């Protein structure tokens, strides 16, 4: 009887243990990728991109601007758990217009330049990610702004209306 009780207790503990989740790897950006919010082709627009992998979905959500992905992460209105978020490493990008298709970095470890006044692929102010702090600092030297981690990006940088008359820079191609 004691063995039966111990077995039942162990089975109950095993059932309660949270399911281990395997973190998905980034997916190469292709011509078929469309931006989650606007459904426009991601590769037709310059600037950094993002992809978010959600529990229960076979494919990641792509974003034509990192700003939009960060807004998605900050939103309380999503049904699926975020498994991984990747952003373009603009330090490894060929140019602003060609941000790359495979140079993804983990958003949790990226260095983001905010408040630089640069225009992203969808025309709004952009949050610009870099793998290396030196690349982020060089970008700040040229365009202004400051460097922060993902958790320190203020809501005001990624949510709310965008002033269409705002003067923004577009980094050289």
């Amino acid at each position: 009887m004691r063995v039966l009780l111990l077995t039942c207790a162990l089975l109950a503990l095993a059932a309660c243990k949270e399911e281990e989740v395997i973190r998905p790897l980034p997916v190469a950006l292709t011509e078929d990728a469309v931006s989650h919010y606007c459904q426009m082709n991601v590769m037709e627009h310059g600037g950094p991109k993002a992809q978010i992998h959600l529990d229960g979905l076979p494919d990641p959500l792509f974003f034509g601007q990192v700003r939009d992905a960060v807004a998605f992460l900050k939103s309380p209105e999503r049904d699926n758990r975020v498994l991984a978020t990747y952003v373009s490493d603009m330090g490894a990008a060929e140019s602003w217009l060609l941000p790359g298709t495979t140079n993804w970095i983990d958003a949790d470890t990226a260095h983001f330049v905010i408040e630089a006044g640069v225009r992203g692929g969808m025309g709004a102010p952009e949050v610009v990610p870099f793998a290396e702090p030196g690349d982020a600092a060089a970008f700040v030297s040229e365009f202004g702004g400051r460097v922060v981690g993902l958790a320190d990006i203020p809501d005001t940088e990624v949510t709310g209306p965008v002033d269409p008359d705002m003067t923004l820079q577009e980094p050289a191609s």
Side-chain angles (χ1 to χ4, degrees):
M1 182 70 170
R2 199 165 135 175
V3 172
L4 179 62
L5 286 174
L6 183 58
T7 302
C8 288
L10 287 174
L11 287 173
L13 277 175
C16 291
K17 185 180 176 185
E18 190 173 318
E19 188 179 310
E20 187 176 327
V21 177
I22 297 173
R23 184 178 176 89
L25 295 174
V27 174
L29 189 61
T30 68
E31 296 286 338
D32 296 330
V34 294
S35 191
H36 174 65
Y37 288 125
C38 65
Q39 298 299 298
M40 294 175 73
N41 184 289
V42 173
M43 292 182 73
E44 291 178 2
H45 306 277
K49 311 299 177 217
Q51 60 178 277
I52 297 177
H53 296 256
L54 299 174
D55 192 20
L57 297 182
D59 299 312
L61 303 179
F62 282 99
F63 295 85
Q65 280 203 222
V66 172
R67 173 188 205 271
D68 295 341
V70 176
F72 180 89
L73 292 172
K74 290 178 175 286
S75 171
E77 299 176 9
R78 65 175 183 271
D79 297 327
N80 303 67
R81 178 174 46 153
V82 174
L83 300 178
T85 302
Y86 299 101
V87 292
S88 302
D89 175 10
M90 292 306 286
E94 185 176 328
S95 68
W96 189 260
L97 294 177
L98 299 170
T101 59
T102 60
N103 53 315
W104 299 105
I105 54 174
D106 187 331
D108 291 329
T109 61
H111 305 276
F112 294 91
V113 176
I114 62 170
E115 302 165 355
V118 295
R119 182 183 318 278
M122 297 292 121
E126 184 59 290
V127 174
V128 187
F130 295 91
E132 299 298 326
D135 292 337
F139 192 87
V140 168
S141 292
E142 186 172 349
F143 297 100
R146 62 187 174 105
V147 181
V148 298
L150 178 63
D152 297 321
I153 297 172
D155 291 356
T156 54
E157 278 297 305
V158 298
T159 60
V162 173
D163 180 357
D165 296 325
M166 177 186 281
T167 302
L168 296 172
Q169 307 174 66
E170 188 158 315
S173 54

